Amino acid sequence: MNLKMKKNLFILALICCPWWSFGQTLLTLEEAVGLTLENNFDIRIAKNEVKISEENVTLGNAGMLPRVNGILTNNNTILNTTQTQSNGNEVEIDGAKNLNLNYGLGLEWTIFDGFRMFARHNQLKELQKLGETELKVELLSKVSEVYETYFLLVNQQHLLTTADSIIAISEFRLKTAQNKFTIGKASKLDVLNAEVDFNTDNSAKIRLQEQYLITKILLNNLLIRPSDTDFIVSDAILIDDSLKLNDLNSLALSQNPSLQIQYLNKKIQEYELKQVKANRMPTISLTSGYSFLRSESPFGFITQTKGQNFNYGVSASINVFDGFNQNRSEKISKIQVENTQLLIEKQTQTILTQLAALYQSYLSNLALLALERKNEKIAKQNLEITLDKFKIGTISPIDFRTAQLNYTNAIIRLTNAELIAKQTEINLKELAGNLSF
């Protein structure tokens, strides 16, 4: 490689070493995902919802355990009374106080309710699984958002480094035009054109910087940290080009969380139907109680009573006729079960359709990416040759600018193709429930 070509490549090497990245902390994708899982508000709320559903899975909440109540009754009366006895004598009593005190424990235990309590307990377990699956939906959604935002930053970082390189070349062209104008080998028009192009490239970079900084704010928001936290991201976008549609379909049918939610909803509704049917069966309960009694009265043959009371018994009830409401409830519950099955079929069809469409985009994006990589190499080689010719004055500034713009556009198309291919890959894995976090 000759000396001039080495100088050309040194200018282009600015792409790999942008000045604005020096001294900034590197945020890896794994760190970004970890911070999101730990700090994101929506994920933390979903985790708390799972804890609530876990707390609800108890025998008592299902109605399997007895209920014990404490009882306390204390009635007091103060009487002013006049009593006429059989012999005609009258007795007046002022401020007579009557006391009736009753306290103890009462127990009620439903030992059979048509197996409703068992259906309820199983339903609570399915509700817990539903909460866990909804948490997975939230995790996949937020992690996917972090992935896409992170790689958008990588894309914008690439474009900024390209902008630095283009500006360096434009600055070189401007200085060359000024030097040639000074010695009378170029016109003022060449200088002005070079300066306009130099300013145009700087203006484009300012727009890129604006987008880049906004995206960093959005990523900081996802990570729940101050919006002005400064960092840089990795400079590589690695595309998984090994995805197969059949494998994605199989994964989606077995672990797509939205589809799993529909399966769980069906189980929950089936247990609801069992609870409705249980109303046709008798309900049998045991009752028991133990209480202490105390009574005081200043008049009468018995002025004070004390005692203990133990009671027990069995109660049973069965719905004989309720205006056909039982039949109505069962029919409605069966229709709801049927609807959950229809929702499963609908969700399955939707997911498989989305996967098929996304996979076609994925294949097209991979083909475009391969083409843009080749095109970028050609544009880079063309720019290097054009730059070499410009230095010796064998090519016009317009042709040089055309080569420069061709290289710029090739880089933009390549980085955008990488980003779109990566986004399609992320969306496919999210649909398949296979996005790593």
Side-chain angles (χ1 to χ4, degrees):
M1 184 181 295
N2 59 37
L3 181 60
K4 290 183 178 179
M5 186 65 72
K6 289 182 179 179
K7 289 181 179 179
N8 293 346
L9 292 178
F10 174 76
I11 294 174
L12 296 175
L14 288 170
I15 296 175
C16 302
C17 302
W19 62 268
W20 44 267
S21 67
F22 294 156
Q24 291 181 323
T25 303
L26 173 65
L27 175 69
T28 66
L29 180 60
E30 291 78 10
E31 291 172 341
V33 171
L35 288 171
T36 301
L37 297 179
E38 181 180 355
N39 299 329
N40 186 269
F41 293 119
D42 292 330
I43 291 177
R44 288 161 64 184
I45 291 172
K47 287 180 178 179
N48 284 336
E49 293 295 333
V50 171
K51 291 178 181 178
I52 292 173
S53 62
E54 288 174 352
E55 292 294 329
N56 281 329
V57 184
T58 64
L59 297 177
N61 195 23
M64 293 182 176
L65 299 180
R67 295 173 296 279
V68 180
N69 297 316
I71 302 170
L72 172 63
T73 304
N74 185 8
N75 292 322
N76 297 277
T77 59
I78 298 176
L79 299 176
N80 295 321
T81 183
T82 300
Q83 296 180 344
T84 302
Q85 299 177 348
S86 60
N87 58 10
N89 295 330
E90 291 186 350
V91 178
E92 292 185 1
I93 302 176
D94 294 329
K97 184 177 182 181
N98 290 336
L99 169 66
N100 289 286
L101 178 65
N102 184 359
Y103 59 95
L105 295 174
L107 178 145
E108 183 179 358
W109 189 3
T110 301
I111 59 174
F112 182 76
D113 61 355
F115 305 105
R116 184 189 299 109
M117 63 182 72
F118 296 100
R120 173 62 178 166
H121 192 245
N122 289 329
Q123 188 183 52
L124 291 172
K125 291 179 181 178
E126 296 303 322
L127 286 169
Q128 178 185 346
K129 293 178 184 178
L130 179 63
E132 293 169 352
T133 308
E134 288 175 340
L135 171 60
K136 187 176 180 181
V137 171
E138 195 64 48
L139 290 173
L140 280 173
S141 173
K142 292 303 176 185
V143 170
S144 175
E145 192 174 353
V146 169
Y147 268 58
E148 293 190 10
T149 307
Y150 187 92
F151 287 115
L152 177 58
L153 272 177
V154 176
N155 169 269
Q156 293 170 343
Q157 206 165 262
H158 284 172
L159 293 177
L160 277 173
T161 55
T162 301
D164 286 334
S165 176
I166 295 301
I167 289 172
I169 295 174
S170 294
E171 186 177 12
F172 167 75
R173 177 189 162 201
L174 175 60
K175 289 180 179 179
T176 300
Q178 289 172 338
N179 292 335
K180 287 184 177 181
F181 176 73
T182 301
I183 62 176
K185 290 187 175 182
S187 66
K188 183 65 175 178
L189 181 61
D190 291 337
V191 176
L192 294 176
N193 285 333
E195 190 170 1
V196 168
D197 291 338
F198 177 72
N199 291 336
T200 299
D201 294 338
N202 276 286
S203 176
K205 181 185 175 182
I206 291 173
R207 291 297 183 188
L208 285 173
Q209 284 178 323
E210 177 190 6
Q211 296 171 6
Y212 178 71
L213 293 175
I214 290 174
T215 306
K216 287 176 75 171
I217 292 172
L218 295 176
L219 184 56
N220 278 328
N221 179 61
L222 287 173
L223 307 185
I224 315 300
R225 60 183 192 174
S227 60
D228 59 352
T229 302
D230 204 7
F231 63 93
I232 57 174
V233 293
S234 172
D235 59 355
I237 298 181
L238 302 178
I239 312 296
D240 184 356
D241 58 359
S242 62
L243 300 181
K244 303 297 181 185
L245 182 57
N246 289 338
D247 295 338
L248 292 169
N249 286 338
S250 299
L251 287 171
L253 293 177
S254 63
Q255 61 187 33
N256 177 277
S258 297
L259 183 57
Q260 295 304 311
I261 285 176
Q262 299 303 332
Y263 281 116
L264 290 169
N265 282 333
K266 182 182 179 183
K267 287 185 178 180
I268 291 169
Q269 193 56 50
E270 287 172 345
Y271 286 124
E272 185 68 27
L273 175 59
K274 289 183 178 181
Q275 294 178 69
V276 172
K277 288 183 175 181
N279 291 329
R280 292 187 178 276
M281 305 289 285
T283 299
I284 302 174
S285 301
L286 299 179
T287 59
S288 179
Y290 192 83
S291 61
F292 296 88
L293 306 173
R294 181 186 170 192
S295 158
E296 294 181 1
S297 177
F299 48 86
F301 293 103
I302 301 174
T303 60
Q304 188 179 72
T305 301
K306 292 182 180 180
Q308 296 88 32
N309 179 34
F310 175 71
N311 63 80
Y312 58 91
V314 178
S315 65
S317 64
I318 187 170
N319 177 22
V320 177
F321 179 74
D322 64 351
F324 303 108
N325 286 322
Q326 177 64 28
N327 292 337
R328 178 183 56 80
S329 298
E330 288 184 18
K331 288 180 180 178
I332 291 174
S333 190
K334 288 177 181 178
I335 294 172
Q336 289 172 336
V337 171
E338 182 181 348
N339 279 343
T340 57
Q341 178 60 39
L342 292 173
L343 287 173
I344 289 174
E345 295 173 9
K346 176 184 176 181
Q347 190 72 22
T348 301
Q349 180 70 23
T350 300
I351 290 173
L352 293 179
T353 300
Q354 290 175 339
L355 279 173
L358 272 174
Y359 192 75
Q360 290 304 314
S361 297
Y362 169 75
L363 294 178
S364 298
N365 291 333
L366 289 180
L368 287 172
L369 179 58
L371 179 62
E372 294 300 343
R373 283 172 176 167
K374 292 180 182 179
N375 192 55
E376 186 270 339
K377 291 179 181 179
I378 295 172
K380 181 179 180 182
Q381 184 180 7
N382 181 57
L383 178 60
E384 291 171 352
I385 296 172
T386 304
L387 180 60
D388 194 40
K389 290 184 176 182
F390 179 74
K391 287 181 178 180
I392 60 177
T394 60
I395 195 171
S396 68
I398 295 177
D399 291 335
F400 177 73
R401 179 63 177 175
T402 300
Q404 185 184 12
L405 290 177
N406 286 339
Y407 177 70
T408 302
N409 292 331
I411 288 289
I412 292 174
R413 289 197 305 271
L414 174 58
T415 54
N416 287 339
E418 288 178 336
L419 177 63
I420 294 172
K422 189 63 180 180
Q423 288 174 337
T424 309
E425 174 202 329
I426 292 168
N427 293 335
L428 283 170
K429 290 182 176 179
E430 182 183 1
L431 268 176
N434 197 38
L435 187 62
S436 175
F437 54 84

